[in-house]
Short mmCIF file of all heavy atoms in Angstrom, two decimals:
data_model
loop_
_atom_site.label_atom_id
_atom_site.label_comp_id
_atom_site.label_asym_id
_atom_site.label_seq_id
_atom_site.Cartn_x
_atom_site.Cartn_y
_atom_site.Cartn_z
N PHE A 1 15.79 206.94 285.92
CA PHE A 1 16.51 206.65 287.16
C PHE A 1 17.91 206.11 286.88
O PHE A 1 18.73 206.02 287.79
CB PHE A 1 15.73 205.61 287.98
CG PHE A 1 14.57 206.17 288.74
CD1 PHE A 1 13.44 206.66 288.10
CD2 PHE A 1 14.59 206.19 290.13
CE1 PHE A 1 12.36 207.15 288.81
CE2 PHE A 1 13.51 206.68 290.86
CZ PHE A 1 12.39 207.17 290.20
N LYS A 2 18.16 205.69 285.62
CA LYS A 2 19.41 205.03 285.28
C LYS A 2 20.29 205.85 284.35
O LYS A 2 21.42 205.46 284.04
CB LYS A 2 19.11 203.69 284.59
CG LYS A 2 18.51 202.64 285.51
CD LYS A 2 19.54 202.14 286.49
CE LYS A 2 19.03 200.96 287.29
NZ LYS A 2 20.03 200.47 288.26
N ASP A 3 19.80 206.98 283.87
CA ASP A 3 20.54 207.78 282.90
C ASP A 3 20.90 206.96 281.67
O ASP A 3 22.03 206.99 281.17
CB ASP A 3 21.80 208.39 283.53
CG ASP A 3 22.37 209.53 282.68
OD1 ASP A 3 21.59 210.16 281.94
OD2 ASP A 3 23.59 209.78 282.76
N LEU A 4 19.92 206.19 281.18
CA LEU A 4 20.08 205.39 279.98
C LEU A 4 19.05 205.81 278.94
O LEU A 4 17.96 206.27 279.29
CB LEU A 4 19.88 203.90 280.29
CG LEU A 4 20.96 203.19 281.11
CD1 LEU A 4 20.46 201.80 281.52
CD2 LEU A 4 22.26 203.06 280.31
N ALA A 5 19.39 205.64 277.67
CA ALA A 5 18.43 205.89 276.60
C ALA A 5 17.63 204.61 276.35
O ALA A 5 18.13 203.50 276.54
CB ALA A 5 19.16 206.30 275.33
N VAL A 6 16.38 204.77 275.94
CA VAL A 6 15.53 203.62 275.61
C VAL A 6 15.68 203.29 274.13
O VAL A 6 15.51 204.15 273.27
CB VAL A 6 14.05 203.91 275.94
CG1 VAL A 6 13.16 202.77 275.47
CG2 VAL A 6 13.87 204.17 277.42
N GLN A 7 15.99 202.04 273.84
CA GLN A 7 16.05 201.55 272.47
C GLN A 7 14.72 200.86 272.15
O GLN A 7 14.36 199.91 272.84
CB GLN A 7 17.20 200.56 272.31
CG GLN A 7 18.55 201.08 272.75
CD GLN A 7 19.63 200.01 272.73
OE1 GLN A 7 19.68 199.19 271.82
NE2 GLN A 7 20.49 200.01 273.74
N THR A 8 14.00 201.33 271.16
CA THR A 8 12.71 200.72 270.83
C THR A 8 12.86 199.67 269.74
O THR A 8 13.68 199.80 268.83
CB THR A 8 11.68 201.78 270.40
OG1 THR A 8 12.18 202.50 269.28
CG2 THR A 8 11.37 202.73 271.54
N ASP A 9 12.06 198.64 269.86
CA ASP A 9 12.05 197.55 268.88
C ASP A 9 10.61 197.08 268.73
O ASP A 9 10.04 196.50 269.66
CB ASP A 9 12.94 196.41 269.36
CG ASP A 9 13.08 195.28 268.35
OD1 ASP A 9 12.23 195.19 267.43
OD2 ASP A 9 14.03 194.49 268.46
N PRO A 10 9.97 197.33 267.58
CA PRO A 10 8.56 196.97 267.41
C PRO A 10 8.29 195.48 267.48
O PRO A 10 7.14 195.07 267.61
CB PRO A 10 8.21 197.55 266.03
CG PRO A 10 9.52 197.69 265.33
CD PRO A 10 10.52 198.01 266.39
N ARG A 11 9.34 194.66 267.41
CA ARG A 11 9.13 193.21 267.50
C ARG A 11 8.63 192.79 268.89
O ARG A 11 8.08 191.71 269.05
CB ARG A 11 10.42 192.46 267.16
CG ARG A 11 10.82 192.59 265.69
CD ARG A 11 12.11 191.87 265.40
NE ARG A 11 13.23 192.46 266.15
CZ ARG A 11 14.47 191.96 266.14
NH1 ARG A 11 14.74 190.85 265.46
NH2 ARG A 11 15.44 192.56 266.82
N TRP A 12 8.81 193.67 269.90
CA TRP A 12 8.33 193.36 271.25
C TRP A 12 6.88 193.79 271.46
O TRP A 12 6.35 193.69 272.57
CB TRP A 12 9.23 194.01 272.29
CG TRP A 12 10.56 193.34 272.40
CD1 TRP A 12 11.76 193.80 271.93
CD2 TRP A 12 10.84 192.07 273.01
NE1 TRP A 12 12.76 192.89 272.21
CE2 TRP A 12 12.23 191.83 272.87
CE3 TRP A 12 10.05 191.12 273.67
CZ2 TRP A 12 12.84 190.67 273.37
CZ3 TRP A 12 10.65 189.98 274.16
CH2 TRP A 12 12.02 189.76 274.01
N ARG A 13 6.21 194.26 270.41
CA ARG A 13 4.81 194.69 270.53
C ARG A 13 3.88 193.55 270.94
O ARG A 13 4.17 192.37 270.76
CB ARG A 13 4.30 195.22 269.19
CG ARG A 13 4.75 196.62 268.83
CD ARG A 13 4.06 197.06 267.56
NE ARG A 13 4.31 198.46 267.27
CZ ARG A 13 3.53 199.21 266.50
NH1 ARG A 13 2.44 198.67 265.95
NH2 ARG A 13 3.81 200.48 266.29
N GLU A 14 2.72 193.97 271.46
CA GLU A 14 1.61 193.05 271.69
C GLU A 14 1.12 192.53 270.34
O GLU A 14 1.46 193.08 269.28
CB GLU A 14 0.50 193.78 272.45
CG GLU A 14 -0.71 192.95 272.83
CD GLU A 14 -0.35 191.77 273.70
OE1 GLU A 14 0.01 190.71 273.12
OE2 GLU A 14 -0.44 191.87 274.93
N ARG A 15 0.33 191.50 270.38
CA ARG A 15 -0.27 190.97 269.15
C ARG A 15 -1.26 191.98 268.57
O ARG A 15 -2.04 192.59 269.30
CB ARG A 15 -0.99 189.66 269.45
CG ARG A 15 -1.57 188.99 268.21
CD ARG A 15 -2.26 187.71 268.60
NE ARG A 15 -3.03 187.20 267.48
CZ ARG A 15 -4.06 186.36 267.61
NH1 ARG A 15 -4.43 185.95 268.80
NH2 ARG A 15 -4.72 185.95 266.54
N ALA A 16 -1.23 192.15 267.26
CA ALA A 16 -2.23 192.97 266.57
C ALA A 16 -3.55 192.19 266.55
O ALA A 16 -3.60 191.07 266.04
CB ALA A 16 -1.77 193.29 265.16
N LEU A 17 -4.60 192.79 267.11
CA LEU A 17 -5.86 192.07 267.30
C LEU A 17 -6.98 192.54 266.38
O LEU A 17 -8.15 192.20 266.60
CB LEU A 17 -6.30 192.18 268.76
CG LEU A 17 -5.40 191.42 269.74
CD1 LEU A 17 -5.81 191.72 271.18
CD2 LEU A 17 -5.45 189.91 269.48
N GLY A 18 -6.64 193.31 265.36
CA GLY A 18 -7.63 193.66 264.35
C GLY A 18 -8.89 194.26 264.93
O GLY A 18 -8.84 195.16 265.76
N HIS A 19 -10.05 193.73 264.51
CA HIS A 19 -11.32 194.34 264.93
C HIS A 19 -11.67 194.06 266.38
O HIS A 19 -12.65 194.61 266.90
CB HIS A 19 -12.45 193.88 263.99
CG HIS A 19 -12.85 192.45 264.17
ND1 HIS A 19 -12.12 191.40 263.67
CD2 HIS A 19 -13.93 191.89 264.79
CE1 HIS A 19 -12.71 190.25 263.97
NE2 HIS A 19 -13.82 190.52 264.65
N TRP A 20 -10.89 193.22 267.07
CA TRP A 20 -11.11 193.03 268.51
C TRP A 20 -10.51 194.17 269.34
O TRP A 20 -10.87 194.33 270.50
CB TRP A 20 -10.48 191.71 268.96
CG TRP A 20 -11.15 190.48 268.41
CD1 TRP A 20 -12.44 190.37 268.00
CD2 TRP A 20 -10.55 189.20 268.24
NE1 TRP A 20 -12.69 189.09 267.56
CE2 TRP A 20 -11.54 188.34 267.70
CE3 TRP A 20 -9.29 188.68 268.49
CZ2 TRP A 20 -11.30 187.00 267.42
CZ3 TRP A 20 -9.04 187.33 268.21
CH2 TRP A 20 -10.03 186.51 267.68
N GLN A 21 -9.59 194.92 268.78
CA GLN A 21 -8.93 195.98 269.54
C GLN A 21 -9.93 197.03 269.99
O GLN A 21 -10.76 197.50 269.22
CB GLN A 21 -7.82 196.63 268.68
CG GLN A 21 -6.68 195.68 268.41
CD GLN A 21 -5.55 196.27 267.61
OE1 GLN A 21 -4.48 195.70 267.53
NE2 GLN A 21 -5.74 197.41 266.97
N GLY A 22 -9.83 197.39 271.26
CA GLY A 22 -10.75 198.37 271.84
C GLY A 22 -11.99 197.76 272.45
O GLY A 22 -12.73 198.44 273.17
N CYS A 23 -12.24 196.48 272.19
CA CYS A 23 -13.42 195.80 272.74
C CYS A 23 -13.11 195.26 274.13
O CYS A 23 -11.97 194.90 274.45
CB CYS A 23 -13.84 194.64 271.85
SG CYS A 23 -14.38 195.10 270.20
N LEU A 24 -14.14 195.18 274.96
CA LEU A 24 -14.00 194.46 276.22
C LEU A 24 -13.81 192.98 275.92
O LEU A 24 -14.45 192.43 275.02
CB LEU A 24 -15.24 194.65 277.09
CG LEU A 24 -15.49 196.05 277.64
CD1 LEU A 24 -16.86 196.13 278.30
CD2 LEU A 24 -14.40 196.43 278.64
N TYR A 25 -12.93 192.35 276.69
CA TYR A 25 -12.68 190.92 276.48
C TYR A 25 -13.97 190.11 276.54
O TYR A 25 -14.21 189.24 275.70
CB TYR A 25 -11.69 190.43 277.54
CG TYR A 25 -11.47 188.93 277.53
CD1 TYR A 25 -10.70 188.33 276.54
CD2 TYR A 25 -12.06 188.12 278.51
CE1 TYR A 25 -10.51 186.96 276.53
CE2 TYR A 25 -11.86 186.75 278.50
CZ TYR A 25 -11.09 186.17 277.51
OH TYR A 25 -10.90 184.80 277.49
N LYS A 26 -14.85 190.43 277.50
CA LYS A 26 -16.08 189.67 277.65
C LYS A 26 -17.02 189.84 276.46
O LYS A 26 -17.86 188.98 276.21
CB LYS A 26 -16.78 190.04 278.95
CG LYS A 26 -17.25 191.49 279.03
CD LYS A 26 -17.81 191.79 280.42
CE LYS A 26 -18.25 193.24 280.56
NZ LYS A 26 -18.72 193.53 281.94
N GLU A 27 -16.86 190.94 275.70
CA GLU A 27 -17.71 191.18 274.53
C GLU A 27 -17.33 190.28 273.35
O GLU A 27 -18.18 189.97 272.51
CB GLU A 27 -17.60 192.64 274.08
CG GLU A 27 -18.17 193.64 275.06
CD GLU A 27 -17.93 195.08 274.64
OE1 GLU A 27 -16.99 195.34 273.86
OE2 GLU A 27 -18.68 195.96 275.12
N VAL A 28 -16.07 189.89 273.28
CA VAL A 28 -15.60 189.13 272.11
C VAL A 28 -15.08 187.75 272.50
O VAL A 28 -14.58 187.02 271.64
CB VAL A 28 -14.51 189.91 271.35
CG1 VAL A 28 -15.09 191.19 270.75
CG2 VAL A 28 -13.31 190.20 272.23
N LYS A 29 -15.22 187.38 273.77
CA LYS A 29 -14.67 186.10 274.23
C LYS A 29 -15.19 184.93 273.41
O LYS A 29 -14.44 184.05 273.00
CB LYS A 29 -14.98 185.88 275.71
CG LYS A 29 -14.40 184.57 276.27
CD LYS A 29 -14.77 184.39 277.72
CE LYS A 29 -14.14 183.12 278.28
NZ LYS A 29 -14.58 181.90 277.55
N ASP A 30 -16.52 184.89 273.18
CA ASP A 30 -17.09 183.78 272.43
C ASP A 30 -16.53 183.72 271.01
O ASP A 30 -16.23 182.64 270.50
CB ASP A 30 -18.61 183.87 272.40
CG ASP A 30 -19.24 183.62 273.76
OD1 ASP A 30 -18.55 183.08 274.65
OD2 ASP A 30 -20.42 183.97 273.94
N GLU A 31 -16.41 184.88 270.38
CA GLU A 31 -15.85 184.93 269.03
C GLU A 31 -14.40 184.48 269.05
O GLU A 31 -13.96 183.73 268.16
CB GLU A 31 -15.95 186.34 268.47
CG GLU A 31 -15.45 186.46 267.04
CD GLU A 31 -15.49 187.90 266.54
OE1 GLU A 31 -16.12 188.75 267.18
OE2 GLU A 31 -14.87 188.15 265.48
N MET A 32 -13.64 184.90 270.05
CA MET A 32 -12.24 184.51 270.15
C MET A 32 -12.11 183.01 270.38
O MET A 32 -11.27 182.35 269.77
CB MET A 32 -11.56 185.28 271.30
CG MET A 32 -11.42 186.76 271.01
SD MET A 32 -10.98 187.72 272.49
CE MET A 32 -9.32 187.15 272.75
N ASP A 33 -12.97 182.46 271.23
CA ASP A 33 -12.92 181.02 271.50
C ASP A 33 -13.29 180.22 270.25
O ASP A 33 -12.68 179.19 269.95
CB ASP A 33 -13.89 180.66 272.64
CG ASP A 33 -13.41 181.16 273.99
OD1 ASP A 33 -12.22 181.53 274.10
OD2 ASP A 33 -14.23 181.20 274.93
N ALA A 34 -14.29 180.71 269.52
CA ALA A 34 -14.71 180.02 268.30
C ALA A 34 -13.61 180.04 267.24
O ALA A 34 -13.43 179.08 266.49
CB ALA A 34 -15.99 180.65 267.75
N ALA A 35 -12.87 181.15 267.21
CA ALA A 35 -11.79 181.27 266.24
C ALA A 35 -10.53 180.57 266.70
O ALA A 35 -9.57 180.45 265.95
CB ALA A 35 -11.48 182.76 266.00
N ASP A 36 -10.54 180.08 267.97
CA ASP A 36 -9.38 179.42 268.56
C ASP A 36 -8.14 180.29 268.44
O ASP A 36 -7.04 179.83 268.20
CB ASP A 36 -9.15 178.05 267.90
CG ASP A 36 -8.19 177.20 268.72
OD1 ASP A 36 -8.13 177.39 269.96
OD2 ASP A 36 -7.50 176.36 268.11
N TRP A 37 -8.33 181.59 268.59
CA TRP A 37 -7.23 182.57 268.55
C TRP A 37 -6.49 182.57 267.23
O TRP A 37 -5.31 182.89 267.15
CB TRP A 37 -6.26 182.36 269.72
CG TRP A 37 -6.80 182.96 270.96
CD1 TRP A 37 -7.62 182.36 271.87
CD2 TRP A 37 -6.61 184.29 271.43
NE1 TRP A 37 -7.94 183.23 272.87
CE2 TRP A 37 -7.33 184.42 272.63
CE3 TRP A 37 -5.89 185.37 270.95
CZ2 TRP A 37 -7.35 185.60 273.35
CZ3 TRP A 37 -5.91 186.56 271.67
CH2 TRP A 37 -6.64 186.65 272.86
N THR A 38 -7.18 182.21 266.15
CA THR A 38 -6.59 182.42 264.84
C THR A 38 -6.69 183.91 264.53
O THR A 38 -7.20 184.68 265.32
CB THR A 38 -7.32 181.60 263.76
OG1 THR A 38 -8.72 181.90 263.83
CG2 THR A 38 -7.10 180.11 263.98
N SER A 39 -6.20 184.32 263.38
CA SER A 39 -6.10 185.74 263.08
C SER A 39 -7.48 186.40 262.99
O SER A 39 -8.32 186.00 262.19
CB SER A 39 -5.36 185.95 261.75
OG SER A 39 -5.28 187.31 261.45
N PRO A 40 -7.72 187.44 263.80
CA PRO A 40 -8.96 188.20 263.63
C PRO A 40 -8.87 189.07 262.38
O PRO A 40 -7.76 189.30 261.86
CB PRO A 40 -9.00 189.07 264.89
CG PRO A 40 -7.56 189.25 265.25
CD PRO A 40 -6.87 187.99 264.85
N GLN A 41 -9.99 189.55 261.90
CA GLN A 41 -9.98 190.41 260.73
C GLN A 41 -9.07 191.61 260.97
O GLN A 41 -9.23 192.35 261.94
CB GLN A 41 -11.40 190.88 260.42
CG GLN A 41 -11.51 191.75 259.17
CD GLN A 41 -12.94 192.19 258.91
OE1 GLN A 41 -13.87 191.71 259.56
NE2 GLN A 41 -13.12 193.10 257.99
#
């Protein structure tokens, strides 16, 4: 709509969530809470 090019920057990505990626939040909530949102595998 603006006739502008998009500049991509991977630094604006979402957090990499390792083995939690693709899971329903409710399936891994307890594990996430126990890990206190430290790095997943």
Side-chain angles (χ1 to χ4, degrees):
F1 281 68
K2 291 289 188 180
D3 196 26
L4 289 170
V6 175
Q7 306 173 40
T8 57
D9 185 341
R11 292 179 296 176
W12 288 105
R13 282 186 172 203
E14 183 58 274
R15 183 180 169 202
L17 291 173
H19 72 283
W20 292 335
Q21 293 181 167
C23 296
L24 292 171
Y25 173 75
K26 63 186 179 183
E27 293 175 337
V28 295
K29 182 182 183 300
D30 290 344
E31 182 183 348
M32 292 167 69
D33 289 345
D36 195 28
W37 280 88
T38 54
S39 179
Q41 183 181 350

